């Protein structure tokens, strides 16, 4: 296809005008990037939410946002935050969260975003590891974190907490501040919240800023765009591809707090969203609602629309024009996505039929790929030359190679580029283990690269399970919750294909019951008639543990094993069984 070789413009060319004056590194720092955007677009809308009186719109323009960021940064510096210190934040997506995030850089500090969905004890574990000077938390958890004495001071993201509220913190002092350099750590993103030693991914200013600008190699982003931050903003995907991408070009970000349909529809409609980034769960849900509405019009209308959708897709692939926006204007308006320019899916596998349907309806819909350790974007489908089967082409300055290639050309995907993490926080051995001797980052994902340079993923080499909500589930975390249940001799967690149409994964437990359980219920392991009774006993234990897990970690399928899985000498299950 000729459009694959279409010439791409350099999205970073404009930076040369400011190099040496507004920044001196190979890339601006996060602070310098925001300063540049404020200089270029002082009156553009910056942060918006719908949390005003009666759900009304609240908006800060870039100048107003910077005033709040600088005020907080000065207060942090005046209250003891020094170069290299840490500031933590945990809460729902909001302008306040964004102000804390950026103020950390303006105070010379490192930001530690904490998952607001974690149990309080898990969040405490991450905070104990990070050792921040200050912790800003949202209203639901504020009381918990202010009833104890910590090494860090606790402040609020919510206005009801008066003088502890982030916007009410100011100082008349003009403190001395040492600003970070491009190779300094900007953010530490924790990939686990359990009781063990958490794994914190250290991302530098160069990592985040280079990734943000280079992602535009495969996609044009404009100062007139409106991004929708609906998924949790602490996650690398939303943090970089939505929040930082927005402020890199002077666009507007609308903060969404829930995937409740009525709230989401209001924010899509009134926010006039042009850039929607989500996970398979969101796009499956949205498409199901659209198609249901079409079917309700009757078989004849449904048939005509399906025919037109097919025709629209053919025209788009041949001419690179998108007639769907005109053909299905009323359908898109009803779904409140008629203003959408581009939709991007990441965080998990998406069914090709869903991908295709959005493009048929006139939405430029593409997939991307990355990991927390890669800031995260390393591949993205160009809108003008997308491939349904691919997660995208490498960005400029990103190199891929495949190692340990099998006879089908599939092997482990390795990557180099300016967005690759500095390492895991205080974990030199774990850091060394994910890099080759010659400096390539090993993604742990299996795949191949086609003749046009597009990445085709074949599966994950790591144990991690990705739900259709884009949540990462670590089997070991769930298995650890069963350590005190000695009636289960062995419990091994894996993903299973819950829905072959959407490719979504559920959580399955492979269980080998202990002799003590069988003895207690007076059954023999090989007795086929007793299997229901064994399953009932195992299910009772799993139901009990499920209540302690986060919703997306809960086990939905149980398989009773006839014999135990093979183990290593250190009594760990060898995960070489077939899913």
């Amino acid at each position: 296809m000729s459009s694959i070789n279409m010439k791409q413009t350099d999205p970073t060319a404009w930076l040369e005008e400011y190099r040496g004056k507004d920044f001196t590194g190979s890339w601006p720092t996060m602070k310098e990037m925001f300063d540049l955007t404020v200089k270029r677009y002082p009156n553009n809308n910056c942060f918006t939410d719908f949390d005003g009186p009666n759900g009304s719109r609240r908006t800060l323009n870039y100048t107003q946002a910077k005033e709040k960021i600088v005020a907080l940064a000065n207060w942090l510096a005046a209250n003891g935050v020094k170069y290299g210190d840490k500031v933590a934040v945990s809460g729902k997506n909001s302008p306040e969260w964004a102000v804390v995030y950026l103020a950390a850089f303006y105070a010379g500090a490192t930001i530690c975003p904490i998952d607001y969905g974690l149990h309080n004890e898990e969040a405490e574990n991450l905070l104990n590891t990070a050792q921040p000077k200050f912790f800003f938390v949202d209203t639901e958890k504020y009381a918990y974190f202010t009833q104890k004495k910590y090494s860090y001071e606790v402040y609020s993201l919510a206005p009801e907490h008066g003088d502890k509220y982030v916007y009410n913190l100011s100082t008349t002092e003009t403190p001395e501040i040492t600003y970070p350099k491009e190779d300094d750590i900007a953010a530490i993103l924790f990939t686990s919240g359990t009781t063990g030693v958490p794994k914190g991914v250290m991302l530098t200013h160069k990592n985040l800023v280079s990734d943000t600008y280079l992602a535009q190699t495969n996609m044009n982003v404009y100062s007139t765009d409106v991004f929708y931050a609906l998924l949790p903003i602490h996650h690398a995907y939303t943090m970089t591809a939505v929040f930082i991408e927005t402020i890199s070009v002077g666009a507007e970000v609308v903060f969404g707090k829930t995937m409740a349909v009525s709230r989401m529809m209001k924010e899509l409609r009134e926010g006039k969203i042009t850039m929607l980034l989500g996970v398979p769960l969101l796009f499956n849900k949205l498409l199901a609602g659209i198609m249901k509405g079409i079917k309700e019009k009757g078989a004849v209308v449904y048939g005509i629309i399906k025919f037109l959708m097919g025709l629209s897709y053919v025209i788009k692939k041949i001419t690179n024009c998108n007639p769907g926006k005109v053909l299905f204007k009323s359908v898109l308006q009803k779904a409140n996505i008629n203003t959408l320019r581009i939709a991007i899916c990441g965080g998990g596998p998406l069914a090709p039929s869903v991908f295709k349907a959005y493009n048929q309806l006139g939405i430029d819909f593409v997939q991307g790929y990355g990991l927390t350790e890669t800031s995260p974007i390393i591949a993205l489908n160009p809108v003008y030359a997308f491939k349904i089967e691919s997660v995208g082409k490498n960005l400029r300055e990103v190199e891929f190679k495949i190692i340990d290639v099998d006879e089908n050309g599939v092997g482990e995907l390795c990557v180099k580029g300016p967005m690759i993490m500095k390492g895991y926080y205080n974990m030199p051995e774990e850091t060394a283990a994910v890099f080759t001797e010659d400096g390539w980052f090993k993604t742990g994902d299996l795949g191949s690269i086609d003749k046009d340079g597009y990445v085709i993923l074949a599966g994950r080499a790591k144990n991690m399970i990705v739900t259709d909500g884009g949540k990462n589930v670590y089997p070991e975390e769930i298995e650890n919750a069963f350590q005190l249940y000695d009636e289960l001799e062995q419990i091994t967690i894996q993903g299973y294909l819950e829905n072959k149409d959407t490719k979504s994964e559920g959580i399955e437990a492979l269980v080998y019951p202990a002799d003590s359980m069988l003895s207690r219920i007076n059954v023999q392991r090989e007795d086929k008639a007793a299997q229901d009774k064994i399953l009932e006993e195992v299910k009772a234990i799993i139901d009990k543990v499920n209540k302690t897990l986060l919703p997306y970690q809960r086990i939905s399928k149980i398989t009773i094993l006839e014999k135990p899985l093979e183990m290593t000498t250190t009594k760990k299950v060898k995960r070489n069984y077939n899913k």
Side-chain angles (χ1 to χ4, degrees):
M1 187 165 58
S2 60
S3 58
I4 286 176
N5 298 313
M6 185 181 290
K7 184 171 170 53
Q8 296 169 335
T9 57
D10 180 0
T12 64
W14 65 270
L15 283 171
E16 295 310 312
E17 180 185 340
Y18 301 92
R19 188 181 299 278
K21 295 175 287 183
D22 294 88
F23 70 97
T24 55
S26 58
W27 294 95
T29 62
M30 285 290 297
K31 175 193 177 295
E32 289 165 341
M33 183 186 75
F34 195 74
D35 283 341
L36 282 172
T37 301
V38 176
K39 181 184 261 191
R40 297 171 78 207
Y41 305 104
N43 300 315
N44 277 19
N45 286 349
C46 182
F47 302 147
T48 292
D49 69 6
F50 289 90
D51 277 357
N54 302 313
S56 61
R57 180 188 185 102
R58 298 190 310 167
T59 296
L60 295 173
N61 67 26
Y62 273 88
T63 301
Q64 292 166 333
K66 184 175 175 179
E67 285 170 0
K68 291 189 180 297
I69 290 161
V70 171
L72 178 59
N74 287 339
W75 181 88
L76 288 169
N79 284 274
V81 171
K82 295 182 177 60
Y83 174 77
D85 283 344
K86 299 178 199 73
V87 173
V89 61
S90 186
K92 299 182 293 292
N93 297 359
S94 67
E96 288 87 345
W97 190 102
V99 165
V100 172
Y101 184 97
L102 292 169
F105 308 139
Y106 278 76
T110 294
I111 193 70
C112 299
I114 306 292
D115 184 351
Y116 199 54
L118 292 176
H119 297 304
N120 290 333
E121 296 76 13
E122 292 173 322
E124 280 178 315
N125 186 41
L126 299 188
L127 290 162
N128 289 337
T129 300
Q131 290 292 303
K133 282 281 182 72
F134 290 93
F135 177 42
F136 292 84
V137 67
D138 226 328
T139 187
E140 293 85 357
K141 299 190 177 187
Y142 179 76
Y144 177 89
F145 283 98
T146 51
Q147 67 186 0
K148 298 184 186 179
K149 191 72 179 166
Y150 297 106
S151 60
Y152 45 87
E153 294 185 51
V154 179
Y155 285 80
S156 177
L157 297 177
E160 60 261 35
H161 296 125
D163 60 356
K164 294 285 187 177
Y165 174 48
V166 58
Y167 284 177
N168 292 336
L169 304 176
S170 62
T171 180
T172 54
E173 296 180 37
T174 309
E176 288 275 328
I177 297 174
T178 301
Y179 297 121
K181 305 289 190 296
E182 64 176 337
D183 289 319
D184 288 336
I185 306 301
I188 300 175
L189 305 188
F190 289 100
T191 60
S192 167
T194 51
T195 54
V197 179
K199 187 178 279 187
V201 176
M202 299 186 293
L203 299 176
T204 66
H205 287 263
K206 180 193 283 185
N207 290 158
L208 294 174
V209 174
S210 68
D211 198 40
T212 300
Y213 285 131
L214 292 173
Q216 296 168 37
T217 306
N218 292 1
M219 180 173 297
N220 292 325
V221 185
Y222 305 106
S223 62
T224 50
D225 275 317
V226 182
F227 285 75
Y228 190 23
L230 179 62
L231 303 172
I233 198 169
H234 75 274
H235 192 283
Y237 179 32
T238 311
M239 188 187 77
T240 300
V242 180
F243 171 50
I244 302 176
E245 198 69 64
T246 296
I247 60 176
S248 76
V249 297
E252 178 182 6
V253 58
V254 172
F255 295 98
K257 293 181 171 59
T258 173
M259 279 176 67
V261 175
S262 58
R263 172 90 184 217
M264 196 168 79
M265 289 297 108
K266 171 188 167 72
E267 289 167 347
L268 281 168
R269 181 177 64 254
E270 296 184 21
K272 294 182 170 55
I273 307 300
T274 67
M275 302 289 290
L276 178 61
L277 285 77
V279 291
L281 179 68
L282 169 64
F283 291 116
N284 290 333
K285 194 174 180 181
L286 201 54
L287 184 63
I290 291 170
M291 299 313 292
K292 182 184 175 188
I294 294 172
K295 283 178 182 175
E296 286 171 354
K297 297 179 184 294
V300 175
V301 173
Y302 180 72
I304 292 169
I305 288 179
K306 285 293 285 181
F307 169 77
L308 290 173
M309 284 172 68
L311 182 63
S312 168
Y313 186 75
V314 170
I315 293 170
K316 181 178 180 182
K317 289 297 280 184
I318 293 172
T319 68
N320 201 35
C321 294
N322 201 341
K325 267 276 174 69
V326 176
L327 287 172
F328 307 112
K329 184 178 178 181
S330 62
V331 173
L332 298 175
Q333 280 178 330
K334 192 172 181 184
N336 295 308
I337 56 174
N338 56 299
T339 58
L340 273 195
R341 199 169 64 78
I342 297 174
I344 304 173
C345 185
L350 184 75
S353 59
V354 176
F355 188 111
K356 191 172 183 178
Y358 279 101
N359 277 291
Q360 290 173 330
L361 288 167
I363 303 294
D364 283 334
F365 192 100
V366 297
Q367 293 189 86
Y369 168 68
L371 303 91
T372 303
E373 290 90 340
T374 62
S375 298
I377 315 161
I378 45 178
L380 191 63
N381 263 289
V383 168
Y384 57 81
F386 64 90
K387 291 191 178 186
I388 283 180
E389 69 277 12
S390 169
V391 291
K393 293 183 73 170
N394 61 304
L395 308 184
R396 201 185 83 220
E397 296 190 30
V398 173
E399 297 176 79
F400 283 125
K401 76 171 180 178
I402 308 291
I403 62 171
D404 303 325
V405 182
D406 66 14
E407 65 278 6
N408 298 314
V410 173
E412 185 174 4
L413 194 63
C414 296
V415 62
K416 269 187 179 181
M419 65 288 295
I420 308 302
M421 69 167 183
K422 197 160 192 172
Y424 297 117
Y425 184 60
N426 289 341
M427 288 184 166
E429 290 180 11
E430 288 82 353
T431 299
V434 295
F435 285 92
T436 63
E437 287 185 6
D438 54 349
W440 291 78
F441 174 72
K442 298 188 287 186
T443 67
D445 287 323
L446 300 174
S448 58
I449 299 170
D450 75 7
K451 62 182 176 60
D452 297 313
Y454 286 72
V455 177
I456 316 290
L457 291 184
R460 287 181 302 280
K462 297 176 182 176
N463 304 330
M464 188 179 74
I465 302 160
V466 180
T467 70
D468 70 341
K471 291 287 189 181
N472 296 343
V473 178
Y474 299 87
E476 295 85 353
E477 292 186 3
I478 301 173
E479 290 161 6
N480 287 342
F482 289 90
Q483 284 184 0
L484 299 178
Y485 293 90
D486 55 9
E487 287 198 328
L488 305 183
E489 184 174 319
Q490 197 180 78
I491 179 162
T492 305
I493 301 300
Q494 66 176 16
Y496 72 98
L497 197 60
E498 197 170 33
N499 186 322
K500 67 179 183 181
D501 291 325
T502 63
K503 292 188 176 180
S504 60
E505 285 189 288
I507 312 298
E508 178 181 11
L510 307 177
V511 180
Y512 185 74
D515 290 339
S516 58
M517 172 188 282
L518 305 182
S519 175
R520 179 174 60 78
I521 62 177
N522 196 28
V523 299
Q524 299 297 313
R525 194 181 299 277
E526 60 277 3
D527 184 358
K528 299 296 180 188
Q531 295 308 302
D532 286 348
K533 194 169 185 180
I534 295 172
L535 180 61
E536 185 179 324
E537 291 292 324
V538 170
K539 188 175 183 301
I541 293 173
I542 286 176
D543 285 348
K544 195 180 292 185
V545 172
N546 264 346
K547 289 176 183 174
T548 70
L549 299 172
L550 295 168
Y552 63 86
Q553 294 176 311
R554 289 170 188 161
I555 295 161
S556 54
K557 181 180 179 182
I558 303 168
T559 298
I560 305 298
L561 301 171
E562 292 181 1
K563 59 182 183 180
L565 294 168
E566 186 182 357
M567 304 185 84
T568 66
T569 52
T570 55
K571 300 299 179 188
K572 293 179 181 176
V573 168
K574 289 186 177 180
R575 297 181 187 269
N576 55 3
Y577 48 84
N578 188 31
K579 290 190 180 184

